[in-house]
Amino acid sequence: MVEVAPGVQVWAEEIPGPGEPLLLVMGANASGLTWPDELLARLARHHRVIRYDHRDTGRSTHAFDERPYALRDLADDAVAVLDAFDVDRAHVAGMSLGGTLVQLLLVEHPDRLLSAAVFCSAALEGTEGLPGPDPALLRLWGELTDERTREQELTWRVEHWRLLNGRVAPFDAAAFRALEERIMEHSGRTDSPAAHAAADTDGLDRAAELREVSVPTLVIEAPEDPVNPPPHAAHLAATIAGSRLMTVEGLGHALAPSLLEPLANALLGHTCGDVR
């Protein structure tokens, strides 16, 4: 457990491996357990991998109503996790809101980064003219804080993953249900985390600073992403100075089992040039 603010702790875990540290930053309202074990094992062949639960997810402190925070604070939490593991500099990879936080790290803490990878995310600036989330997702998000039994909550979460998965990669409902059962056991809660939707979003327009980034950055396009669909990734890559854009075909806004290998290859090709 890592103290990130007075009375606030986040759960973090290291998966030992050779090579340089790699910090994984998950999306909004999602536990670090959302990173699949198969992906962690693949990355840990080459890196010391660290994942963690954001505030108000998993085993971390759930106290937003008593201790509200800004989304920018979650980026500082990532730095606190690196400090707790005595990591001076790390590769970082962020998905969705995690990609937003990685962008904040690029402009606020570049000295702590060896490289950065961002996917399923939008640029830290106005995104006028770019497509928004699928209306079916928006309707489902309207139910986020509804009261549900454990079984109803599992059904809701699996349906959420089905929409996030997109229409190309096979959707393994049993695998995502098992994942959510593990997350419930891990967190000791069955309600849907929702605090990040209420967090302060001030200070997130950082496009000018992103254009000055010198940290090697990979932007991965998820062509089936229903939250930040194309051309969000291309726009992000054009915003971050010197970044490289590549596509993982079939990838949506979920880590589908069938796409873990090409995603790992993309990340490892960026961090160490080795995809074996």
Side-chain angles (χ1 to χ4, degrees), residues 161-173 176 223-225 248-260 262:
W161 283 121
R162 185 185 68 78
L163 293 176
L164 292 174
N165 188 73
R167 297 180 175 88
V168 171
F171 180 64
D172 189 338
F176 280 101
E224 303 305 317
D225 184 354
V248 173
E249 295 295 343
L251 184 63
H253 206 89
L255 299 177
S258 63
L259 297 177
L260 296 181

Side-chain angles (χ1 to χ4, degrees), residues 40-91:
L40 297 182
R42 180 75 170 79
L43 298 175
R45 295 181 196 172
H46 304 274
H47 290 290
R48 173 189 175 194
V49 180
I50 300 169
R51 63 175 170 177
Y52 66 102
D53 290 339
H54 294 296
R55 306 186 197 192
D56 291 281
T57 74
R59 291 185 186 171
S60 296
T61 301
H62 291 249
F64 181 81
D65 290 342
E66 296 79 29
R67 302 181 184 90
Y69 48 83
L71 289 180
R72 288 180 61 185
D73 294 326
L74 299 181
D76 292 334
D77 292 353
V79 175
V81 170
L82 292 180
D83 290 342
F85 286 95
D86 295 320
V87 174
D88 291 329
R89 300 178 71 207
H91 302 280

Side-chain angles (χ1 to χ4, degrees), residues 121-123 129-132 219 221-223 225 228-239 245:
S121 193
L130 294 175
V219 178
E221 180 174 66
D225 184 354
N228 297 301
H232 272 278
H235 175 74
L236 177 56
T239 303
L245 177 67

Side-chain angles (χ1 to χ4, degrees), residues 119-132:
F119 57 104
C120 299
S121 193
L124 283 180
E125 64 171 339
T127 54
E128 293 81 4
L130 294 175

